[in-house]
Amino acid sequence: MTGAHADRPATKAGWRAHMKGVLASTSAEQRDAWSAALCDQLLDSGLVGEAMVVLGYGAFRGEPDVSRVGDVVTRRGGRLCMPVIDWGSGTMHAGEVHTLHLGAKGGPVEGRYGTPIAPEGAEVIPAWDIGVVLVPGMAFDVRGGRLGRGAGFYDRYLRGFAGLTIGVCFDVQVIDRVPMEEGDVRLDAVATESGVCMVRG
C-alpha cells in the first residue's frame, strides 16, 4: 500500500508540496480508475455498508471520488452528510445531503476556494449520530497518520469522535510515516485502490 517516493520531505509543508505535484502528474482518467477501485474496496470491506449515517466529502483537487459509496448509502436507506465549514470560527459540522455529486439536486455546492460543501440550509447531523467518516487528505501512513491541507478542520472535528474514521487516498499518497504533532488525530483505517488497512479496532 505504501507509495514510492524518491524524495522524502521532512516537514508537513514539504510533504504537502510534494503530494500536490504527485496528484497533478496523474491524469483524470487514472484518478477515475483508481477511485472506482477504491470504492469497490470500501464497499467490499463491509466497513461502510452497515452504518446508518456516513460523513463523506466531495472530491477536490485530485482527491479520490467516493460519490459511488454515497450512492450506495442512500440507496439502502442510510443518511449521507458532508462538511460545512465555518471559516470564522475554524470549525466544521456535518450537513445532510442526498448525493456527493457536485451540482446534483440535493448535493454539494462550491464553497470558499471551490471546496465542495453541503448546501445552505442543510440539516445539521450531530457527530454522535454519525457511524463512519470518510476522511480525505494529502498523505497517509498505515499507522493511521494523516496529513491534511493545513487548516485543521478534520482534526478538530474528529477529536473525541466515537465512530469509525477511514482515511481515503490513492496508493501514491501513502508514505512511510506522516509527521504528526500534538492535536493531530490518528484514523482507524486507511483505504486505497488496492485495499483497506485497519489500524485500530
Side-chain angles (χ1 to χ4, degrees), residues 27-187:
S27 68
E29 292 77 14
Q30 182 64 80
R31 293 194 300 272
D32 286 345
W34 287 342
S35 292
L38 191 156
C39 288
D40 287 340
Q41 295 288 354
L42 276 171
L43 293 170
D44 290 346
S45 73
L47 296 175
V48 180
E50 300 304 317
M52 291 310 299
V53 186
V54 174
L55 172 57
Y57 65 91
F60 178 64
R61 292 183 180 173
E63 292 172 342
D65 182 352
V66 294
S67 56
R68 186 158 63 86
V69 175
D71 294 341
V72 171
V73 170
T74 55
R75 273 203 306 270
R76 63 165 171 73
R79 300 178 74 187
L80 184 64
C81 51
M82 64 182 304
V84 174
I85 302 299
D86 185 331
W87 292 93
S89 65
T91 59
M92 116 182 184
H93 61 268
E96 186 167 13
V97 293
H98 301 298
T99 177
L100 297 177
H101 297 279
L102 185 65
K105 183 178 180 181
V109 298
E110 285 193 8
R112 187 182 294 190
Y113 308 121
T115 308
I117 59 172
E120 186 176 354
E123 180 179 351
V124 175
I125 299 181
W128 55 81
D129 283 346
I130 297 172
V132 174
V133 179
L134 303 179
V135 189
M138 298 301 295
F140 297 80
D141 64 38
V142 294
R143 301 168 186 83
R146 169 186 174 269
L147 177 68
R149 294 184 180 273
F153 289 108
Y154 275 96
D155 287 310
R156 288 187 289 275
Y157 183 81
L158 294 176
R159 205 164 293 136
F161 178 73
L164 180 69
T165 56
I166 305 175
V168 180
C169 65
F170 300 128
D171 280 334
V172 295
Q173 294 175 268
V174 180
I175 64 177
D176 290 335
R177 186 180 293 272
V178 171
M180 299 287 284
E181 300 173 358
E182 185 178 356
D184 292 342
V185 175
R186 289 192 181 275
L187 307 175

